[in-house]
Amino acid sequence: MGTTTFTGPIKAGNVLDTTGSTVGLIKNVGFVEMAQSAAIVQSATAAATTIVIPANSIVTSIELYETTVWSSGTTTYTIAVGTSATATELVAATNANAIGRLVLTPGTDATRTGVWLNTGTTDDIIYVISGAPSATPGAGTLVVRYMQAANA
C-alpha cells in the first residue's frame, strides 16, 4: 500500500469561516491528530527512540503496548518518557509490570502538563528510561499521538 506525506500541519473541516451564530455557519476546522510509534526495550540507560515530535505540538496521548513484561533486578518495574536524556519531561516513572496497553500521562505535575500542551519551539526526540531489568528485559511499542504545530 502506498503512503502520502504532508509537511503539515493538517487541518480539516467543511466550514472554514464563521459567518453566523448557528451550526453550519460557525467555523468547524480542527487539527488532525498524528501518531508515531517505536519498538522499545527496557533499559536503565536513557535511550532515544525514532519518534520525533514537531515543534509547537500538543501531545494528546502516550501509550505503551507491552509485549514482554518489564522485569526487575531491583523491584523497579517503571518506565519514564521525556524529550531529553533525563527522559522525565513527559511522564514520570510509571509501573510497567503487566502485559497489555499502558496509558501514560503527565500526572498532576504542572511542568509536565505544560510540555504536553506545548512541546516548544524545536522538534523533540522522544526518550525512554526504565528501572534496571533482570535477565529478560521488558519490550513493547511506544505510541505518541499529537496535534502538529497547534501552537505555532
Side-chain angles (χ1 to χ4, degrees):
M1 172 183 281
T3 61
T4 301
T5 303
F6 296 93
T7 58
I10 300 171
K11 288 185 172 184
N14 64 348
V15 181
L16 303 181
D17 298 299
T18 298
T19 59
S21 59
T22 59
V23 174
L25 300 176
I26 300 171
K27 179 179 176 178
N28 68 359
V29 175
F31 285 91
V32 174
E33 186 177 58
M34 312 302 252
Q36 293 185 46
S37 64
I40 63 170
V41 176
Q42 180 183 4
S43 174
T45 303
T49 69
T50 57
I51 300 170
V52 178
I53 304 302
N56 300 305
S57 294
I58 296 173
V59 175
T60 57
S61 74
I62 301 175
E63 299 160 323
L64 173 61
Y65 291 87
E66 203 169 329
T67 54
T68 303
V69 71
W70 255 228
S71 62
S72 177
T74 62
T75 67
T76 303
Y77 303 91
T78 60
I79 182 169
V81 181
T83 56
S84 74
T86 62
T88 59
E89 295 86 357
L90 294 168
V91 177
T94 302
N95 283 333
N97 56 348
I99 290 179
R101 178 177 170 251
L102 176 62
V103 176
L104 302 170
T105 72
T108 58
D109 183 89
T111 302
R112 283 188 195 92
T113 299
V115 175
W116 279 59
L117 290 173
N118 189 341
T119 58
T121 58
T122 59
D123 291 358
D124 286 315
I125 295 173
I126 300 299
Y127 288 79
V128 295
I129 191 168
S130 301
S134 59
T136 304
T141 299
L142 188 71
V143 177
V144 179
R145 290 180 172 78
Y146 58 93
M147 293 184 298
Q148 179 185 4
N151 294 297

